[in-house]
Amino acid sequence: METTGQQFIAGKRRSGTSGEQYEVINPATGEVLATDTLAGPEDVHEAVAAARAAFAEWSRTTPAERSEAMLRWADQLHARSEELAQTESRNAGKPIRLTRGFDVPGTIDNVRFFAGAARNLEGRASAEYSADHTSTIRREPIGVIGSIAPWNYPLQMAAWKALPAMAAGNTVVLKPSELTPLTSVLFAETAREAGIPDGVLNIVTGSGPVAGQALITHPDVAMVSFTGSTAVGRQVAAQAAGSVKRVHLELGGKAPFLVFDDADLEAAARGAVAGALINSGQDCTAATRAYVQRPLYKTFVERVAALMDGVRLGPVDDPDTDMGSLISLRQRDRVAAMVEAAREGGATVVRGGRVPDGPLGRTAHYEPTLITDAAQDSAIVQQEVFGPVLVCLPFDTDDEAIHLANDTPYGLAASAWTTNVFRAGRASREIQAGCVWINDHIPIISEMPHGGYKASGFGKDMSAYSFDEYTNVKHVMTEITGTRHKSWHDVIFTSR
Ligand code: NDP
């Protein structure tokens, strides 16, 4: 069990000072991984002060200096990748295969991408838009960024929040979920080992209502970048408005998965199972609503059910385990209650819909679940479940498919499965979501943006587009003729 603190402030690891003790739990076993004291407002204040002090130096480093520091950081993370994979697996209940193959390499790739992107921050070409002036654009860092992250991909979310901000010359105070702080602290520790100055990246592990609130409302925090649920995102935006802070919101999702009658059924069925069950379904882009054109519907449901039967639940440190636990018993019970409500509302639970038997049933595991016959307006179709639950419903026409895909408050991600280029084109254009995959669902890449439409939020993570969130664009206009009496002065000095 770890005894070291879960705060990383001004380059030092320590405990919080709120007086509130807490335990970091492995949700797949119930084991206590660490005990600590949560961050309180004083810790947040200290972290913001450290970030503010570091901003003066970090914001003036050249892009090349930031880039080189981040490349060293990537090497450091790579050197500690097995430790990161083990820690992430235990803290979030993820199979070790997932953290070794996805969370950790994805994070390292993200660091390397932003090391490169730091040297490519661009404005429009300068020019004389007025004959007597040269206009140039400066892209400037904003200041101290207050970032708030969820528990589903703790390491990757820390990276998505911190990297574009730091690459652009900002400094960061990140609040991870109190359930999953361990890899965020390691992430910051490796930044320091790579020579990134103290105070550039700080971690405050505390509860949302205490540490999160203190961060959002802190007068020296220039921007709030939040990833989490839509309900909390609304509160964050409302509170940040009080001090006119810039806000970036990456919120919930309810991704549709459209299977047209010309699709490769086997590819779609495999895609649906993998897309619905990755990270035990605790993925904001997870495939949650499969709409299948009627000629394929019955076979698709049978094939998905058969594939789900083959998904192995087990100890997260076993490389053969396919699916781990949910993040907590609370989350498991929440998922179970939503499935129960769907069943009571007339839906059919084709597979799963229960806590597994045996030892896994005593921790936060839940069986892969396939639901049919749910009403489009029911909670299981409309609301985020954030668990290993796929709802499958039929459709008849292409118009209906597009309508159903857009028929929730969310708009984060979607996929369309078809071999018809016109259908693919229409789905890409008409589905209201920040990402539409054609014939796949889930892959993410550092080079491309991730972010929502509608109640899924606004602003982009990853890619060069994320710099639009983390920079101010300044217009500098330089008079180039040296004329004392400028022509536009006639509005004041006409007769003189
Ligand atoms: P929450 O919204 O409950 O929490 C997210 C973060 O906000 C946590 O760090 C939490 O702290 C903090 N928080 C909670 N209440 C407040 C508050 N009043 N003020 C400030 N901060 C607060 O989400 P979950 O952690 O449950 O994560 C799951 C959600 O995240 C899902 O809805 C999912 O879709 C979304 N998500 C979105 C992604 C995207 O890119 N769009 C990516 C990943 C997840 P604490 O829990 O420690 O109290």
Side-chain angles (χ1 to χ4, degrees), residues 110-357:
N110 227 227
V111 180
R112 291 198 200 286
F113 170 79
F114 277 107
R119 302 184 76 160
N120 288 286
L121 263 174
E122 287 174 350
R124 277 183 159 181
S126 58
E128 286 68 46
Y129 300 100
S130 146
D132 297 341
H133 304 84
T134 299
S135 285
T136 52
I137 289 293
R138 290 176 56 84
R139 259 187 194 268
E140 298 180 341
I142 298 172
V144 177
I145 312 297
S147 294
I148 298 180
W151 42 255
N152 59 341
Y153 291 102
L155 178 61
Q156 293 203 82
M157 291 302 105
W160 288 19
K161 301 274 97 178
L163 296 172
M166 290 167 63
N170 301 282
T171 54
V172 176
V173 178
L174 171 80
K175 192 205 88 59
S177 164
E178 68 203 76
L179 299 176
T180 52
L182 302 185
T183 49
S184 299
V185 175
L186 282 178
F187 189 59
E189 212 170 66
T190 49
R192 183 166 198 269
E193 287 164 4
I196 292 177
D198 293 351
V200 172
L201 174 58
N202 307 275
I203 308 293
V204 286
T205 301
S207 76
V210 177
Q213 286 293 303
L215 197 54
I216 296 164
T217 53
H218 198 292
D220 292 335
V221 169
M223 169 181 167
V224 178
S225 177
F226 173 84
T227 299
S229 62
T230 298
V232 176
R234 274 196 195 97
Q235 294 173 32
V236 168
Q239 279 149 1
S243 47
V244 199
K245 286 187 173 58
R246 189 185 286 211
V247 176
H248 172 202
L249 298 176
E250 296 283 355
L251 308 178
K254 190 73 189 173
F257 185 104
L258 303 186
V259 184
F260 291 93
D261 59 9
D262 57 73
D264 177 335
L265 187 132
E266 180 63 15
R270 295 176 73 85
V273 172
L277 302 185
I278 185 166
N279 209 36
S280 303
Q282 302 164 121
D283 183 312
C284 49
T285 62
T288 58
R289 303 178 284 139
Y291 297 104
V292 185
Q293 206 152 14
R294 209 167 298 268
L296 297 190
Y297 181 69
K298 190 165 167 290
T299 323
F300 181 85
V301 169
E302 286 166 4
R303 187 66 190 129
V304 166
L307 287 167
M308 278 190 176
D309 288 341
V311 172
R312 283 197 51 198
L313 271 66
V316 291
D317 56 359
D318 180 346
D320 290 333
T321 292
D322 297 321
M323 205 178 92
S325 75
L326 299 187
I327 193 63
S328 62
L329 289 170
R330 186 163 159 253
Q331 180 68 6
R332 182 198 73 180
D333 293 346
R334 198 184 145 269
V335 170
M338 287 188 81
V339 171
E340 230 26 68
R343 207 188 314 245
E344 281 162 18
T348 306
V349 178
V350 178
R351 281 295 184 282
R354 57 194 288 277
V355 169
D357 295 327

Side-chain angles (χ1 to χ4, degrees), residues 297 337-350 370-381 391-394:
Y297 181 69
M338 287 188 81
V339 171
E340 230 26 68
R343 207 188 314 245
E344 281 162 18
T348 306
V349 178
V350 178
L370 175 62
I371 292 180
T372 58
D373 307 315
Q376 174 63 21
D377 63 357
S378 62
I380 202 82
V381 177
V391 179
C392 200
L393 299 171

